[in-house]
Amino acid sequence: MAPPSKAGAALAALREDLVGDVFSPGDPGYDEARTVFNAMIDRRPAVIAQCADTTDVVRAVRFGRELDLHIAVRGGGHSVAGSALGDGALVVDLRRMHQVTVDPAAEAARVEGGATMSHLDRATQRHGLATTGGRASTTGVGGFVLGGGTGWLDRAFGLAVDNLLGVELVTADAERVHANPDENPELFWALHGGGGNFGIATALTLQLHELPEFSIVLLMYQPQFGPDVIRTYREVIRTGPDELSGAALYITGPPEEFTPPELVGKLVCAALLTYAGGEDDLRKLAEPLLALPHEVELAGDMPYTDVQCMLDDPPGLRNYWSAEYLTGLPDDLVDAFCARADSMPVPTNTQHLLFPQGGAIAAGPHEYPVPYRDAAWAAHPFAIWADPADDERAVAWVRDVRADVRPWSTGAVYLNFIGDEGRERVRAGLGEENTLRLEKVKRQYDPDNVFRFNHNIRPV
């Protein structure tokens, strides 16, 4: 760390040079600027630079290097692990940089590094186009894509990272770099799952796909029917087309008009089918689930952007997530999964989910560091609650879910679904051979590990 006089002069110069805003401890707005989605994260950066453009990002990185600060990057969204903040660090906050430029003829979009799924989806929907996005409109595009990217459209269009055409990056040396199949191809490979380890992604170019129709079926059942529901759901997915996706899950009955009063605030089992097509075809696919006794039935054509908002959770709640990727969904696993719902924290925003894989995920390019591609299903315990008094039981429940399904785990994991679970889990999320190759790329682009507030790859 630089001497106080040098640090003060450098900070004054940054405030003068940056088009965006700069915050340090004691400034009005500092506490708001350091508040993130997960209320369990409470960190105090040395400086927060809210950048307005790429030139601001370059200036901020130069400032950080001059003062020997580690750098955290805040994109548009969640970062359940709190990667957007670091105690005593420089935070490069990209949220003002959220422009999305769609090229309908090329079926591609250039997305700035601070954009959320809402920015991306609403820009592409006007052209009848879409690409794989997170299962919430508030997810940040940059971190989501560079971490792999799974969502309602992945069985149809592949993982988000399979649709990555190019990245504009500011490196640890404050250099602007382009990465695509022709320019810096090894860096481009590393950005397919390696996250923010190699620099700050100021923009990404993504492949889009035609999506003229989208529809859903959402059913809610009494929880005791859970095993039958999930077995039926498994077969609907197994026999359905790649355009069919969704989740089988347990939730707290939401206080909505469509929820019977006796289910509000109570544990319910739900089946959500999403379909890149129309309602009539989806209803035929959903017939086995519709035949089971259910309490709520919502079905219809629905804009994809609206479906993206269905599972949005507000910021300011406490979050602890994890995941296990599964070889299959045998009956014994279904029984264990359903039994664990009984101890789920209710009533909270917690979700106990199973996602189908397969389709374009499994058929996609296998050379990238996304080793969970071949898993058949994913279990995703997603604990969200308000009261700090519930911390212990919520975290314990997530860990219990993982332990229950571990006999069927592939060993791989999608890193965007987990917080800080240790170095071995990071390696599991990248693959052993991939990790060795990624470490060499890290050494080339960030030898001092300036970008370490992430699922970190060490430069060796």
Side-chain angles (χ1 to χ4, degrees), residues 102-417:
V102 178
D103 183 341
E107 295 190 344
R110 179 184 181 272
V111 187
E112 289 189 332
T116 64
M117 290 302 157
S118 179
H119 295 121
L120 172 59
D121 295 336
R122 297 199 181 280
T124 60
Q125 180 174 272
R126 292 193 289 269
H127 305 280
L129 300 169
T131 195
T132 301
R135 295 176 176 88
S137 69
T138 50
T139 303
V141 176
F144 168 79
V145 173
L146 299 183
T150 170
W152 306 128
L153 293 174
D154 54 11
R155 283 170 43 84
F157 300 152
L159 297 170
V161 79
D162 297 342
N163 293 283
L164 183 63
L165 300 176
V167 182
E168 299 165 37
L169 206 72
V170 174
T171 68
D173 291 331
E175 298 293 331
R176 300 188 192 198
V177 171
H178 287 78
N180 57 47
D182 299 317
E183 293 181 88
N184 301 300
E186 186 69 1
L187 174 61
F188 187 59
W189 170 85
L191 293 168
H192 286 71
N197 272 282
F198 312 102
I200 301 173
T202 55
L204 302 88
T205 302
L206 301 173
Q207 183 71 58
L208 305 178
H209 305 265
E210 293 185 7
L211 188 67
E213 291 184 290
F214 200 75
S215 55
I216 70 160
V217 168
L218 175 64
L219 304 169
M220 293 186 190
Y221 307 82
Q222 293 285 355
Q224 64 268 27
F225 297 120
D228 287 340
V229 171
I230 293 179
R231 288 184 176 92
T232 304
Y233 190 95
R234 175 187 64 193
E235 294 309 302
V236 168
I237 292 292
R238 185 183 66 82
T239 58
D242 292 350
E243 291 78 11
L244 184 67
S245 191
L249 65 162
Y250 286 88
I251 56 173
T252 296
E256 304 286 352
E257 289 185 5
F258 57 77
T259 309
E262 64 273 16
L263 291 185
V264 173
K266 305 296 184 183
L267 181 70
V268 298
C269 181
L272 172 64
L273 289 173
T274 62
Y275 183 58
E279 177 189 357
D280 291 344
D281 289 340
L282 179 55
R283 278 192 171 274
K284 293 185 179 70
L285 294 167
E287 283 176 357
L289 287 164
L290 291 164
L292 298 176
H294 51 277
E295 308 297 320
V296 172
E297 178 181 324
L298 297 174
D301 294 311
M302 192 172 179
Y304 171 66
T305 54
D306 293 348
V307 176
Q308 285 286 73
C309 300
M310 283 177 52
L311 296 181
D312 283 0
D313 283 296
L317 297 175
R318 304 175 78 77
N319 286 251
Y320 187 80
W321 314 345
S322 195
E324 290 289 343
Y325 276 71
L326 309 171
T327 56
L329 201 60
D331 288 347
D332 287 351
L333 192 162
V334 171
D335 291 340
F337 180 87
C338 293
R340 185 55 62 187
D342 293 338
S343 59
M344 190 178 102
V346 173
T348 66
N349 293 57
T350 296
Q351 300 166 27
H352 186 29
L353 301 108
L354 287 167
F355 291 127
Q357 293 242 114
I361 304 170
H366 278 64
E367 66 268 23
Y368 297 138
V370 282
Y372 47 86
R373 184 184 296 279
D374 291 328
W377 288 82
H380 182 26
F382 188 91
I384 308 177
W385 67 101
D387 189 348
D390 287 332
D391 286 3
E392 186 174 342
R393 75 175 180 129
V395 171
W397 174 78
V398 170
R399 291 172 176 167
D400 286 343
V401 174
R402 282 191 60 203
D404 290 341
V405 304
R406 196 168 292 130
W408 299 277
S409 173
T410 67
V413 65
Y414 172 45
L415 294 177
N416 284 352
F417 272 173

